[in-house]
Amino acid sequence: MSESMEILRLFESDSRMNKFQNLFKQLIHVLSEENIEYVIIGTVAYSEYAPPRATTNINFMISESDCGKLESVLKEHEIDFILNAYQQLIIAVKDDNDETKKYPLALSFQSAPKGLTFNRPIPKEIFGVSDLPIAHIEDLVALWCLAVSNGYSKSYYDAQMMVKLQLTDVERCGALIESLPESDADKVLRSIITGNAMYVDTINMDEAFILPSDLIQTHEEIERAKAHRYNAAQERRRKLISAKLREK
């Protein structure tokens, strides 16, 4: 079983899998014929650098200028798609009753943010199709930090994993993020590097994180940080109660 099939192993006995593979191959052919440049991102790309995770989606990133062209091409080939709330183009594989199940097998496309180019993609074989471009790890971290700054908090932990396990060149990530205009992605990256935000909901986008620290935190350090946050919260609580008592 190929690694891509391993990633999608939860659906290997599903009748939609053959449809999914055939649609994937068709789309790769269309992208090639129409000269639409792309890289594969998302969980499939994540699994190229870290332990594989099950997924029901293969996500592509294309240039903003090709988005309209892709929509026209899909309509020409009578391939149904929708645009979701994140302006991603979604193509879901339906079952034999022409319905989409609760956890659909899907292919999704999103435009590359301005300032980010397709850097050093890694060739990969998926469903027997060789030399497919997988986004480089620094590009992925930059995308995740950008997603967090735009409110998609789940991406924080993907970026955090790659940085803390030293799987990425942090300086290169920073340089890529600097090319993204009008973004707080740099603050997200610095919060990971410095350890000033253990969890995404503690990131303060209004302040810059500039203190140096080790990327790898021991269990003891993590527990100490938790204790510090707890004690700080308790102290704030005591101050609030004291202030209210004085007002009375």
Side-chain angles (χ1 to χ4, degrees):
M1 183 182 294
S2 67
E3 186 174 329
S4 58
M5 287 295 290
E6 177 67 18
I7 294 170
L8 290 153
R9 61 190 179 278
L10 295 179
F11 296 88
E12 61 186 353
S13 60
D14 194 302
S15 62
R16 294 172 297 161
M17 180 54 76
N18 287 334
K19 293 181 182 180
F20 184 76
Q21 292 188 51
N22 291 335
L23 179 58
F24 175 81
K25 293 175 182 179
Q26 180 185 5
L27 285 171
I28 295 299
H29 177 74
V30 167
L31 293 172
S32 177
E33 287 290 306
E34 299 294 334
N35 294 316
I36 297 176
E37 187 180 12
Y38 68 92
V39 292
I40 294 173
I41 57 175
T43 299
V44 171
Y46 173 97
S47 298
E48 188 68 18
Y49 304 99
R53 299 188 304 199
T55 182
T56 62
N57 178 47
I58 296 180
N59 189 253
F60 297 79
M61 185 172 71
I62 63 176
S63 65
E64 188 176 22
S65 61
D66 279 333
C67 288
K69 182 179 180 180
L70 177 61
E71 291 185 32
S72 298
V73 168
L74 293 177
K75 290 176 181 177
E76 181 182 328
H77 285 79
E78 298 182 342
I79 298 175
D80 294 333
F81 65 89
I82 62 168
L83 290 173
N84 67 10
Y86 299 99
Q87 290 303 300
Q88 294 174 317
L89 189 152
I90 308 294
I91 305 169
V93 176
K94 298 180 179 179
D95 60 20
D96 293 334
N97 295 323
D98 201 34
E99 294 180 355
T100 301
K101 294 187 176 180
K102 182 178 180 181
Y103 299 105
L105 292 171
L107 301 157
S108 62
F109 292 81
Q110 67 187 63
S111 63
K114 292 180 180 179
L116 187 66
T117 57
F118 305 130
N119 294 289
R120 303 177 296 163
I122 295 174
K124 171 78 174 177
E125 179 179 324
I126 300 177
F127 298 140
V129 183
S130 60
D131 296 329
L132 297 176
I134 299 292
H136 198 275
I137 183 63
E138 278 84 37
D139 293 341
L140 290 172
V141 171
L143 285 171
W144 288 326
C145 289
L146 179 62
V148 174
S149 70
N150 290 331
Y152 193 73
S153 60
K154 290 182 180 179
S155 295
Y156 181 81
Y157 304 106
D158 292 334
Q160 186 185 52
M161 171 75 77
M162 297 300 177
V163 172
K164 285 184 177 285
L165 295 183
Q166 298 181 323
L167 299 175
T168 184
D169 185 327
V170 176
E171 291 186 2
R172 180 168 176 79
C173 288
L176 285 172
I177 286 173
E178 285 181 3
S179 69
L180 304 177
E182 300 179 1
S183 163
D184 282 324
D186 59 326
K187 295 179 182 178
V188 177
L189 179 63
R190 285 199 293 272
S191 76
I192 295 172
I193 294 172
T194 62
N196 283 0
M198 295 297 298
Y199 301 98
V200 66
D201 57 2
T202 66
I203 296 176
N204 183 352
M205 287 298 182
D206 295 326
E207 69 178 72
F209 301 97
I210 58 176
L211 298 176
S213 71
D214 294 331
L215 294 181
I216 302 299
Q217 289 185 299
T218 65
H219 177 73
E220 180 182 355
E221 289 170 332
I222 292 173
E223 292 303 313
R224 192 185 307 123
K226 289 180 181 178
H228 175 75
R229 289 197 305 276
Y230 175 79
N231 291 332
Q234 290 294 93
E235 180 63 26
R236 287 194 297 271
R237 181 172 176 272
R238 283 193 291 269
K239 288 180 179 180
L240 286 173
I241 293 174
S242 296
K244 288 181 178 178
L245 289 174
R246 284 196 300 270
E247 289 175 2
K248 294 179 179 179

